[in-house]
Structure formats: C-alpha cells, structure tokens
Amino acid sequence: MQAGGEGGFFSRRRSRSADTVRLRQRKSALYSAAPGAGGERGPELFGENIYLVLFTISLRVLNCFLVQTSFVPDEYWQSLEVAHHMVFNYGYLTWEWAEGLRGYSYPLLFATIYRVLQLLAKDDVQLLYLCQLCSWFTWYCCTRTLTNTMETVLTIFALFYYPMEGSKTRSSCKYLTFVALAFIIRPTAVIPWIPLVLRHFWQEQKKVDLVLYSYIPVGLVTLGISLIIDRVFFGEWILVQLKFLKFNVLQNLGTFYGSHPWHWYLTQGLPVILGTHLPFFIHGCIQAPKRYRILLMVVVWTVLVYSMLSHKEFRFIYPVLPFCMVFCGYSLKQLKTWKKSAITFLLLSNLLPALYTGLIHQRGSLDVMIHMQQLCNNSSNQSWASVFVMMPCHSTPFYSHVHCPLPMRFLQCPPDLTGKESYLDEADIFYSNPLKWLNEEFYNGTLPTHLVFFSVLEQEISSFLVLNGYERTATVFHTHMPQGRIGSHIYVYTRRVK
C-alpha cells in the first residue's frame, strides 16, 4: 500500500535508486501522518498481503479447535438452542423469546446450517458441535456464538469503510449497512457508533443527500428484513429491538442477574479484557495524533454508557477492543529499540491465558453434555432415561448439544416482570435448601434417571442420593477456580434400576 501523497513531497528529479529506497521505507497507511491523495486505487477488504490473510485465516481455524470451554450461557441459549428449535422443532426457548426481547435474525444463521445438515442427513451431534466451533472470531470470546461477537465483527467491517481522515475505502452506505446489521442483531451495538455517526454527519457537506440516500434507505431495508424474519417465527409483528432496549436500558431489569459498582468497567472490565495490552493502549492514547481522538472518544463514551447500567459483563464492552487495538498498534509503531521485545512480550503473555481459558477453564459444561448425549446412541435408552440438571440455570448447553428428544429439565431462573420485591426464582429456592426442595419436589413423583450437579452440592444432598438409589457414574472436571454454587467438578449420578 503506497503512502498517499508521497509524490508531492519528493522532487521528480530523484533517481530510481532513491525511489527504491523510498518504497522500502513506506509505512502503514493506518498510522501515516498525512491523509492519502486521490486518484489511487484503495485497498480491498482483504488487504494487499495475501500471505498475511491466509495466515490469519489459518490461525482462526486453529483457534476454533483450541476453544473447548464455556464462557456465558448466552452463547448457546440465545443462538444455537434457538436455531435447533427452529429446524428440529424441539429445544428450549428461554423467557426472553416468550417476551419478544430477542430476534430470529441471528439464530437464522445457524438454523440455515442445521437445515442443510439435516437435508444431507449429516446432522449428528459431532457436526453440529463442529459448526459451532468453526467460527471466525478472536481467541476466547470471538470464537463463540454470542451476539456480542457478531456485533464486534460487524463493527470491524464498518470501521473499514468509515470515512476516517486519510481513508481510501470510505463508503457511507457500506459502513452504515454493517452498523444497521449490528443493531438488528444486538441493539446496544448502536452505542459506540453514536459519536462516529454524529461526526460523519457534522463533517458531511451534503447532509440532505446523506440522510435521503444513505441513512433512510439502509435503515428501512435492514429494519424491514428484521421485521419480516421475526414476523415469520413469532407469528406476529413485533419490534424486538425496541423491547430489548426498553428491558435492558430503560427499565434496567438486567440487575436481576447481578449488579456491579459504577466503576467496574474502569477498574476491572477494561483492564482485564486488555490484559497486557493495557500499558500499550495508554501509551498509544498519549502518542496518537489528533485524528484518532474520535476513536478514543468512542471507547470512553461506550464505557461510560455501560457504566450507568447496574448489570455488567466483560463481553458487553468487547466491541470496543478493535478501537483500543488501534492505539496499541500506534504505541508499538512509536517504539524504537524495544519494539521486538514488546511484541515478544505480548505474544508470550497472551498465549498461556488464551490456551488455559480456551482448553481448560470451565470446560465441564460442554464435556458433561457429551456424556449425556451418549444416552441417545441407544434408542432404547430414550424410552426410560431422563436428566435433571441441578446447577445454576443455563450452566450447560441443552438440546443443541444433545441433539435428541431426551427428557431433560433444569432449574428455572426467569426474572419477575411484575415488580415483586420478594421474588425468588426456582434456582434460588432450590439452593436455599436443596435437600428439602428435592424431597418435596419428588414426593410420590417420578425420579429422573440421571442427576447432573456441581461437586459442592454432593454432601448437602447425600441422604437423598443414598435413599433413592443413586450412584456416581461420571466425574467431569470443570475449573480450578470454584466459587459459590460452582464447583471444581461436575458429577453425574445414575439411579439403579430395580
């Protein structure tokens, strides 16, 4: 990629050798000091270096196979489980789908893959799992089927076409299309784009044309497609994006799933996500030229907006990482004698956490469902087997990983939408006195053949297990850092058939 505007700074009388030296010393256009001149063909989306592209694709394919752990329940319950229900007509839809807070546009992606596999009679659980792994995101979070990951990917595409100073790939319609798609998939995706879109509108000379020929057409088409998709699957016209924002932002009902202090993203969230990139991010913010201030404003604005909401998670601010990495890259560019050492430090310091979180930490949630799936291999088992998952709700995937209509149940935890202050969900009631709950729930009732629970619960319900003829048949490792209701291992207990 030639540095834009070079010809204006050098005399035409320079020799060919001088030109050669100049080409060898060219710099990345992203961190060049001056914007590019017109008349040159801009880079394509895949860039110029095909070997770099192939390397990054190969790395991400390897990445898919080296992430075998669970992160948060939404990566299964709001994507794969919904898609499985759409195609195979069985599965579990959480309360968000009953309330119309989620849209079918994103699960439709996976449902299409499932449908093709079904038509080809290749819909066994290994292939379904492979489809979930073979994604294109970053190492730990972006290989997962979270809406946050797709939001981040679309944000990166949108940034490529955003009319930044010096950009050769600017396209209002293209970047707005990616922003609109991100909003359809996850409405909070609009938050980081508010300052960018306002800046674009402010600097645009033909504001009326921008509104008439970009904002309105892109908005109407993407929103229209989303409405039609949801109309097909909900059976009624519903604007899920509005209901999503109302629930999570205006009513702030996400606090039901936990709350954090206002400074959590500043003191824990962003530092943990950046990791060893943090000092380079800070250094890059100080050294970067003025034209990058808008990107820093996006990071600050997004973190501040999310800080106003009580319920906080690491994945919520994941989409600001691409903005942060611009400053990390600029920091490395500014380093002279320590550049190679800094790069080596970043590689080594990120390798072990990536491998540990991808291969070891919280892997039991997936491994135990593979164990449960074995009950489906023998059709006779399905007629008598049943599974009860006695873990914090949505701790494991469900039918998307078992892939057979095996009777299964888990502890429910929908929030109370009626405003009761003393409301307790089923999981909270269970954990307040597990032994009492089990004795009352299954008094003169049919006992499940298989119980799945964390190791910390075993001693508390041991009398129920012994009295009803349960014995441990499997022990699955989960994490080295157990806490609260989450144990280091997951136990599977099977009831002896008399």
Side-chain angles (χ1 to χ4, degrees):
M1 183 189 305
Q2 278 192 321
E6 250 185 18
F9 292 98
F10 295 91
S11 170
R12 295 183 180 179
R13 296 181 180 179
R14 294 281 184 137
S15 65
R16 180 174 298 179
S17 61
D19 289 337
T20 303
V21 172
R22 200 164 66 243
L23 288 172
R24 289 175 180 171
Q25 294 178 343
R26 63 187 179 181
K27 299 179 180 179
S28 170
L30 177 61
Y31 300 114
S32 60
E40 295 185 22
R41 182 184 177 185
E44 299 296 332
L45 180 60
F46 293 107
E48 290 184 340
N49 193 331
I50 187 63
Y51 298 106
L52 179 61
V53 173
L54 293 176
F55 171 75
T56 55
I57 293 175
S58 301
L59 181 64
R60 287 304 167 214
V61 171
L62 177 65
N63 188 173
C64 293
F65 290 96
L66 294 182
V67 174
Q68 302 174 21
T69 57
S70 63
F71 179 26
V72 290
D74 279 8
E75 62 182 301
Y76 312 111
W77 291 85
Q78 305 298 350
S79 56
L80 299 182
E81 188 69 19
V82 181
H84 193 278
H85 185 274
M86 293 165 68
V87 175
F88 300 106
N89 296 319
Y90 68 93
Y92 190 91
L93 298 182
T94 59
W95 66 271
E96 292 98 328
W97 298 91
E99 295 293 329
L101 297 179
R102 301 278 183 169
Y104 283 92
S105 301
Y106 186 54
L108 185 60
L109 253 157
F110 304 100
T112 303
I113 299 174
Y114 284 0
R115 181 60 176 166
V116 171
L117 293 174
Q118 183 190 40
L119 294 174
L120 295 174
K122 298 294 183 180
D123 58 312
D124 57 275
V125 70
Q126 289 82 5
L127 279 178
L128 294 178
Y129 190 61
L130 181 64
C131 291
Q132 184 260 327
L133 287 179
C134 292
S135 208
W136 53 91
F137 313 115
T138 54
W139 198 273
Y140 179 61
C141 184
C142 254
T143 56
R144 306 183 185 278
T145 51
L146 289 162
T147 54
N148 308 89
T149 59
M150 182 58 75
E151 174 190 351
T152 304
V153 170
L154 293 173
T155 294
I156 294 172
F157 286 165
L159 279 174
F160 182 80
Y161 292 110
Y162 181 76
M164 283 284 292
E165 182 182 355
S167 172
K168 298 178 182 179
T169 58
R170 61 178 66 195
S171 172
S172 298
C173 283
K174 289 182 180 180
Y175 101 80
L176 288 171
T177 298
F178 287 120
V179 173
L181 289 173
F183 172 78
I184 294 301
I185 290 173
R186 189 172 181 85
T188 50
V190 74
I191 294 174
W193 282 99
I194 289 176
L196 288 169
V197 173
L198 289 178
R199 172 189 177 273
H200 178 207
F201 182 78
W202 177 261
Q203 294 186 341
E204 180 63 42
Q205 295 181 350
K206 299 180 180 179
K207 291 181 172 56
V208 176
D209 289 349
L210 179 64
V211 173
L212 293 179
Y213 301 114
S214 294
Y215 288 176
I216 294 179
V218 170
L220 289 179
V221 170
T222 51
L223 188 61
I225 293 174
S226 173
L227 281 170
I228 293 172
I229 291 175
D230 290 328
R231 174 67 177 83
V232 170
F233 291 99
F234 277 115
E236 60 179 320
W237 293 106
I238 185 170
L239 188 59
V240 296
Q241 291 77 21
L242 182 61
K243 300 194 72 172
F244 181 93
L245 291 173
K246 180 182 177 182
F247 178 89
N248 290 283
V249 180
L250 300 180
Q251 296 180 335
N252 202 18
L253 293 178
T255 54
F256 179 80
Y257 297 106
S259 59
H260 302 78
W262 68 269
H263 56 76
W264 188 83
Y265 283 122
L266 297 174
T267 57
Q268 298 182 52
L270 195 59
V272 168
I273 288 178
L274 283 170
T276 53
H277 284 83
L278 181 59
F280 299 96
F281 170 68
I282 296 174
H283 179 248
C285 291
I286 297 172
Q287 296 293 324
K290 293 182 179 179
R291 62 193 180 105
Y292 290 119
R293 287 179 179 174
I294 183 62
L295 301 182
L296 181 59
M297 184 185 298
V298 169
V299 176
V300 174
W301 160 260
T302 304
V303 171
L304 288 178
V305 170
Y306 277 113
S307 296
M308 296 170 63
L309 303 176
S310 298
H311 180 59
K312 299 175 176 65
E313 295 186 34
F314 292 111
R315 62 189 176 100
F316 290 169
I317 58 170
Y318 183 80
V320 304
L321 268 189
F323 300 92
C324 296
M325 291 305 159
V326 172
F327 295 97
C328 294
Y330 193 83
S331 171
L332 291 175
K333 174 182 178 293
Q334 294 298 104
L335 296 178
K336 303 301 180 184
T337 56
W338 296 97
K339 183 178 295 186
K340 291 183 178 180
S341 299
I343 294 174
T344 302
F345 166 74
L346 283 176
L347 289 174
L348 295 179
S349 62
N350 283 277
L351 179 62
L352 288 179
L355 292 177
Y356 178 78
T357 56
L359 293 173
I360 300 174
H361 181 58
Q362 296 186 170
R363 67 170 296 133
S365 296
L366 302 181
D367 290 345
V368 76
M369 297 313 287
I370 295 175
H371 185 83
M372 291 296 98
Q373 202 274 331
Q374 294 174 2
L375 297 174
C376 302
N377 294 337
N378 188 343
S379 58
S380 62
N381 287 340
Q382 298 183 38
S383 61
W384 64 270
S386 59
V387 179
F388 183 23
V389 181
M390 299 187 300
M391 301 162 70
C393 66
H394 305 131
S395 292
T396 67
F398 217 49
Y399 286 106
S400 62
H401 282 57
V402 174
H403 192 50
C404 76
L406 179 71
M408 295 196 298
R409 176 186 173 186
F410 64 95
L411 296 171
Q412 303 282 335
C413 61
D416 175 55
L417 302 179
T418 61
K420 295 180 181 178
E421 294 183 0
S422 59
Y423 172 76
L424 292 175
D425 60 41
E426 186 180 41
D428 287 332
I429 297 173
F430 170 83
Y431 279 104
S432 65
N433 194 331
L435 185 59
K436 177 183 177 182
W437 190 94
L438 287 170
N439 288 328
E440 292 178 353
E441 182 71 15
F442 296 107
Y443 178 74
N444 289 335
T446 302
L447 289 165
T449 61
H450 293 75
L451 299 177
V452 181
F453 54 88
F454 280 118
S455 52
V456 292
L457 190 63
E458 183 184 43
Q459 185 174 358
E460 197 167 353
I461 64 171
S462 58
S463 60
F464 175 86
L465 299 173
V466 173
L467 181 64
N468 292 283
Y470 285 99
E471 59 183 15
R472 192 196 305 177
T473 55
T475 300
V476 179
F477 171 79
H478 184 64
T479 178
H480 290 114
M481 294 173 281
Q483 56 180 349
R485 300 173 179 176
I486 299 175
S488 61
H489 291 75
I490 298 175
Y491 293 157
V492 178
Y493 270 76
T494 304
R495 189 165 184 251
R496 294 190 298 270
V497 180
K498 297 181 180 179

